Amino acid sequence: MIQAPDVAIVGAGAAGIAAARRLDGSGLSTLVLEALPRRGGRAWTRTMAGLSFDLGCGWLHSADRNPWSRIAEQSGFALDRGPNALGSHFADLGLSPGEFASARRAFARWNERLIAAPPTSDRAADAFEPDGQWTAYLQALSGFISGDELERISARDYAAYDSASSYINWRVPAGYGTLITSGFPANADLRLATPVEALTLDEQHVALATPTGTVRCRAAIVTVSTSVLAGGTVRWPAQLDPWREAATRLPLGRNEKLFLQITGDSPFEPESHVLGDLRDPATGAYYIRPFGWPVIECFLGGAGARAAEANGPDAAFARAIGQLANLFGSTVRRSLRPLVASDWAGIPSIGGAYSHALPGQAAARNRLAQPFDGRLFFAGEATSATDFSTAHGAYESGVRAAEEAIVALKARRATA
Ligand SMILES: Cc1cc2nc3c(=O)[nH]c(=O)nc-3n(C[C@H](O)[C@H](O)[C@H](O)COP(=O)(O)OP(=O)(O)OC[C@H]3O[C@@H](n4cnc5c(N)ncnc54)[C@H](O)[C@@H]3O)c2cc1C
């Protein structure tokens, strides 16, 4: 194991894995340090009863231009190219005729206003219709999309994602987390369960203190989440205060998932989707029997995810089962069993779901992505100006940071 690599990568999530792939074969020695005892970060597939559950990323968004689609094809992973039920509401359950279509139209109008006539405040909530009937529904969608309420979302940031997205969504039955972690290059050195506790700079080098010793490197690629960069789990040098300040402008929202097992006969149709309550901003979104499997994936965002965090998984499962019983009838309670729940906010080396810019702060993404002194490079989903909050945005940022490091180290070698 090398103790003094050319490049150390802090974090083995999608961005760190992409950076390691790009550095592989570059002639620069590389060491990846990861706080968790596993690879993948927010890409995490748990396998239970022979089925794969993505506790973090599950959808290959903008799949037609998503680098993970290409990697899946090259490495023999089956891809499900749809159609899928995302965003639909099965059989208008719990609603009067036309209500779901009316809510969808309200969302489309809000989206159009946001793009065509963005609010001068840059607060996404300021594009609401006066006296709109579907504000709770828009807030629920904001929870799923951005992890927070629209009052805390930059309209400009949201629009940058929206105009870059192809809205083509594919899945990997083996799990997006499995695909991403299997992309780790075979030759790269990796230390799991090795948190960087302090990063210091001397004249030439970067030193990364870990519980098992200090790694000295010529350059480091930092891929940690904005919660970690802005928070107190790592001691950062004062020179990085502007990056940490940018990170506070790009907080992680809250999103969690719960998986329920379906046993016996049930009314649940394969590949269907419902919202628990269109008038509740904390509602769960339920993807029913993905791939025909006997499971329901409950997705929580914003207020719903914060409630799960505050009240614990038992209460979150009880609430999810209650919402499904309201829609499908109380007999479904007998056929639903809690399987597994995420706790992204509770993992100290993650600290939430994905980044959103606060109103007026979309430019913080570019500030966060700037290199420091030709030896610190920044990657991670939050550094992408258009594909933040995704695993492909993280991938592209890792490749970008690795290329910056290669150029900088070669230039330094040439002048040495
Ligand atoms: C519930 C949920 C659903 C999602 N759904 C989707 C989806 O459908 N599609 C999609 O594209 N994206 C989705 N995402 C977002 C996607 O998972 C992330 O954007 C992406 O995985 C982030 O990758 P990253 O490399 O930037 O960060 P991370 O995955 O956070 O990687 C950073 C790594 O750094 C490590 N680390 C932190 N501190 C230290 C330290 N001090 N020393 C060493 N290592 C450290 C962390 O443990 C982590 O492994 C979802 C996320 C969540 C939470």
Side-chain angles (χ1 to χ4, degrees):
M1 193 76 75
I2 36 176
Q3 196 68 24
D6 291 315
V7 184
I9 299 171
V10 184
I17 291 172
R21 288 170 68 90
R22 180 62 188 85
L23 285 162
D24 194 29
S26 69
L28 296 170
S29 57
T30 305
L31 171 63
V32 185
L33 299 168
E34 168 56 54
L36 295 171
R38 59 171 182 82
R39 301 168 202 179
R42 285 171 269 173
W44 188 16
T45 306
R46 293 275 308 268
T47 303
M48 298 169 84
L51 304 175
S52 302
F53 305 107
D54 275 314
L55 293 185
C57 55
W59 293 96
L60 284 82
H61 296 310
S62 295
D64 50 332
R65 62 168 180 83
N66 183 324
W68 293 112
S69 302
R70 179 175 37 81
I71 293 166
E73 280 155 6
Q74 286 165 355
S75 45
F77 277 85
L79 278 173
D80 182 276
R81 292 178 167 82
N84 64 65
L86 207 58
S88 64
H89 186 79
F90 178 70
D92 278 356
L93 278 183
L95 299 170
S96 343
E99 270 192 317
F100 184 64
S102 161
R104 292 301 301 174
R105 282 196 301 274
F107 177 72
R109 285 196 302 274
W110 168 82
N111 210 70
E112 269 168 41
R113 271 195 306 279
L114 200 78
I115 310 296
T120 49
S121 62
D122 196 37
R123 280 167 85 240
D126 290 344
F128 282 158
E129 274 165 358
D131 307 321
Q133 301 298 300
W134 292 109
T135 301
Y137 174 69
L138 299 193
Q139 292 289 22
L141 293 191
S142 178
F144 302 134
I145 296 166
S146 307
D148 211 339
E149 279 76 16
L150 288 161
E151 287 77 4
R152 284 172 48 80
I153 304 297
S154 155
R156 193 178 135 207
D157 196 53
Y158 179 95
Y161 180 97
D162 186 69
S163 51
S165 174
S166 72
Y167 287 103
I168 293 174
N169 299 310
W170 295 345
R171 288 172 291 181
V172 195
Y176 203 176
T178 307
L179 168 64
I180 289 171
T181 52
S182 73
F184 194 87
N187 299 326
D189 266 316
L190 167 68
R191 281 186 218 165
L192 293 174
T194 307
V196 171
E197 295 169 325
L199 184 154
T200 49
L201 300 162
D202 64 19
E203 234 166 73
Q204 295 270 317
H205 288 85
V206 180
L208 301 167
T210 79
T212 52
T214 296
V215 172
R216 266 169 68 79
C217 51
R218 297 173 63 214
I221 298 176
V222 177
T223 75
V224 302
S225 72
T226 51
S227 283
V228 173
L229 192 54
T233 55
V234 181
R235 289 192 305 284
W236 304 101
Q239 292 98 315
L240 292 192
D241 284 354
W243 281 260
R244 300 187 66 208
E245 194 270 342
T248 65
R249 311 300 165 114
L250 304 165
L252 298 192
R254 293 292 186 262
N255 295 85
E256 302 292 351
K257 288 186 188 174
L258 313 169
F259 288 87
L260 291 156
Q261 184 178 16
I262 304 169
T263 57
D265 288 339
S266 78
F268 298 118
E269 288 287 323
E271 287 293 333
S272 59
H273 186 270
V274 286
L275 278 173
D277 180 351
L278 264 69
R279 292 189 167 81
D280 177 1
T283 187
Y286 301 89
Y287 204 104
I288 295 169
R289 299 186 58 195
F291 309 114
W293 297 345
V295 291
I296 296 178
E297 176 186 304
C298 168
F299 189 47
L300 299 169
R306 291 197 303 270
E309 189 183 335
N311 303 327
D314 291 349
F317 275 117
R319 184 163 187 274
I321 291 171
Q323 286 205 316
L324 290 165
N326 283 345
L327 295 174
F328 290 91
S330 59
T331 54
V332 300
R333 288 179 180 279
R334 287 200 294 271
S335 42
L336 293 171
R337 303 266 173 285
L339 259 181
V340 61
S342 68
D343 178 21
W344 294 106
I347 300 177
S349 69
I350 307 279
Y354 29 84
S355 68
H356 62 85
L358 297 172
Q361 303 298 335
R365 298 201 184 277
N366 282 332
R367 297 205 299 278
L368 190 66
Q370 295 308 308
F372 171 77
D373 193 34
R375 52 184 163 151
L376 287 182
F377 302 90
F378 293 85
E381 55 87 12
T383 65
S384 170
T386 52
D387 294 298
F388 51 83
S389 76
T390 68
H392 64 277
Y395 180 97
E396 282 160 356
S397 74
V399 171
R400 185 231 342 116
E403 286 175 351
E404 288 168 354
I406 292 168
V407 170
L409 292 191
K410 287 196 173 151
R412 240 202 274 170
R413 196 167 275 164
T415 56

